[in-house]
Amino acid sequence: MEMIRLGCTELRVTKTAFGALPIQRISHSDAVKLIRRAYDSGINYFDTANMYTDSEEKLGSALHDVRQNVVISTKSGGQDKKTVQKHIEQSLRMLQTDYIDLFQFHNPADLPDPTDPDGPFAAVLEAKRKGYIRHIGITNHRLPVAKAAIDSGNFETLQFPFCHLASEKDLELVRQCKEKDMGFIAMKGLSGGLLNNAEACYAFIQQYDNVVPIWGIQHEWELDQWLELAARDVHLTPELEKVIAQDRKELAGDFCRSCGYCLPCAADIDIPQSARMSALLRRSPYEKYMSDEWHEKMHRIENCIHCNACKSRCPYGLDTPALLQKQLKDYDEFYAVHHND
Ligand code: SF4
Ligand code: SF4
């Protein structure tokens, strides 16, 4: 399997990597089987987070006896030294390891300050001195924070959403990381499920030799799909470029990336799904959204109290309450025609 160098970390990782967020949704034994099969098939890089409930524990169970052969990155969103210290200790325990290859600050709203003695960075520097952490990176969904992270010189890697809907500014981040010899880890390569041609998504990212995508994997068929694309060494073709052009046309403008950073919602609205319902209805099998359960979920939008908490937290600057109202209207029109299909 193709390997790449993860920037100045000098870590050698497979260009096809395993995003371990979705394994939260499957049983322990199924997750262990899936992770182990990924490892046995040649994948050596696994990305998780303290926040992904039991994901670290499942990775630990699956990989503890081959620890020296894999690269593991995890994250903490802790905002002070003590919390991050606790998270690192917990990660080491759950992962059944005595070191983390790459620790990442998990989507901070502002850059952590390495000179603050009580801040999250202090815990990370201390852990690095003690050998618990080998490299320090950052993840983010906000362009200005990502840009500032690159400029700061304090991080060895950047994890950022990246797929063929990337804007010129997103592409600039990839170029800047390359210039600064920072590893670029691509999350949301399928844009949270909105992109449905995996081959096009894979081929697009293959163009960038400094980018490693972490594909979220929950099912055996998803693993098979990425392994098959890696084995075929898929690159862009005129046909795939047409798919990409069509996706860009259909999903142009502001759309919800399903990142979930707007939550919690005072009205218990499932914003990451509801705010992109129009696209889901047209780009994935729509039948499941015609259920009573989904009808009720979508109609929670009527209970929105317009507190604007979601809007203020959205890293993409979306007017989330307005977007939800539009989605509900579209959903109701679609439902009227299709709910008996
Ligand atoms: S504005 Fe509406 S959708 Fe947004 S958090 Fe408040 S209640 Fe929820
Ligand atoms: S509305 Fe914004 S914050 Fe919420 S899920 Fe969508 S993109 Fe993310």
Side-chain angles (χ1 to χ4, degrees), residues 52 78 89 135 138 166 198 237 329:
Y52 303 163
E89 283 162 20
H135 301 282
I138 188 165
T237 59
K329 186 167 175 288

Side-chain angles (χ1 to χ4, degrees), residues 264-267 269 271 303-311 313 321 324:
C265 162
I269 298 164
I271 302 176
N303 303 330
C304 171
I305 56 168
H306 297 278
C307 63
N308 281 339
C310 52
K311 185 174 164 179
R313 291 192 284 246
L324 286 167

Side-chain angles (χ1 to χ4, degrees), residues 130-311:
K130 291 180 176 167
Y132 299 147
I133 284 172
R134 298 205 169 156
H135 301 282
I136 302 171
I138 188 165
T139 80
N140 226 274
H141 285 259
R142 302 164 184 85
L143 260 170
V145 181
K147 170 95 183 62
I150 298 172
D151 293 342
S152 74
N154 291 332
F155 308 94
E156 293 164 275
T157 61
L158 170 68
Q159 184 174 147
F160 195 78
F162 188 62
C163 65
H164 60 248
L165 303 175
S167 66
E168 192 40 49
K169 287 182 180 160
D170 300 329
L171 290 165
E172 185 58 24
L173 290 180
V174 173
R175 283 194 286 271
Q176 286 172 336
C177 279
K178 189 163 181 163
E179 275 164 31
K180 298 253 179 156
D181 203 19
M182 277 175 72
F184 190 104
I185 302 162
M187 61 165 127
K188 299 208 175 278
L190 295 171
S191 195
L194 279 190
L195 301 177
N196 44 23
N197 187 316
E199 188 166 347
C201 296
Y202 187 92
F204 173 80
I205 294 186
Q206 275 299 96
Q207 299 176 97
Y208 300 93
D209 61 5
N210 65 324
V211 176
V212 57
I214 41 164
W215 304 109
I217 298 174
Q218 172 180 352
H219 302 288
E220 297 276 341
W221 68 262
E222 288 170 327
L223 175 59
D224 290 339
Q225 167 186 274
W226 301 119
L227 291 173
E228 191 269 332
L229 292 167
R232 259 201 299 135
D233 193 20
V234 165
H235 287 271
L236 278 181
T237 59
E239 288 71 35
L240 293 176
E241 276 171 5
K242 268 190 217 150
V243 172
I244 289 175
Q246 186 62 26
D247 283 339
R248 285 180 178 152
K249 202 167 134 200
E250 285 177 22
L251 292 164
D254 289 339
F255 66 94
C256 171
R257 267 77 164 180
S258 192
C259 66
Y261 288 107
C262 49
L263 297 174
C265 162
D268 199 23
I269 298 164
D270 181 349
I271 302 176
Q273 295 284 69
S274 306
R276 57 184 192 145
M277 185 51 73
S278 299
L280 286 174
L281 291 174
R282 288 163 185 87
R283 301 179 63 88
S284 61
Y286 66 80
E287 289 79 2
K288 86 174 208 201
Y289 301 110
M290 298 295 100
S291 65
D292 290 347
E293 190 194 340
W294 262 105
H295 190 264
E296 182 274 321
K297 262 191 179 183
M298 284 304 289
H299 276 262
R300 288 182 205 165
I301 293 171
E302 291 171 337
N303 303 330
C304 171
I305 56 168
H306 297 278
C307 63
N308 281 339
C310 52
K311 185 174 164 179

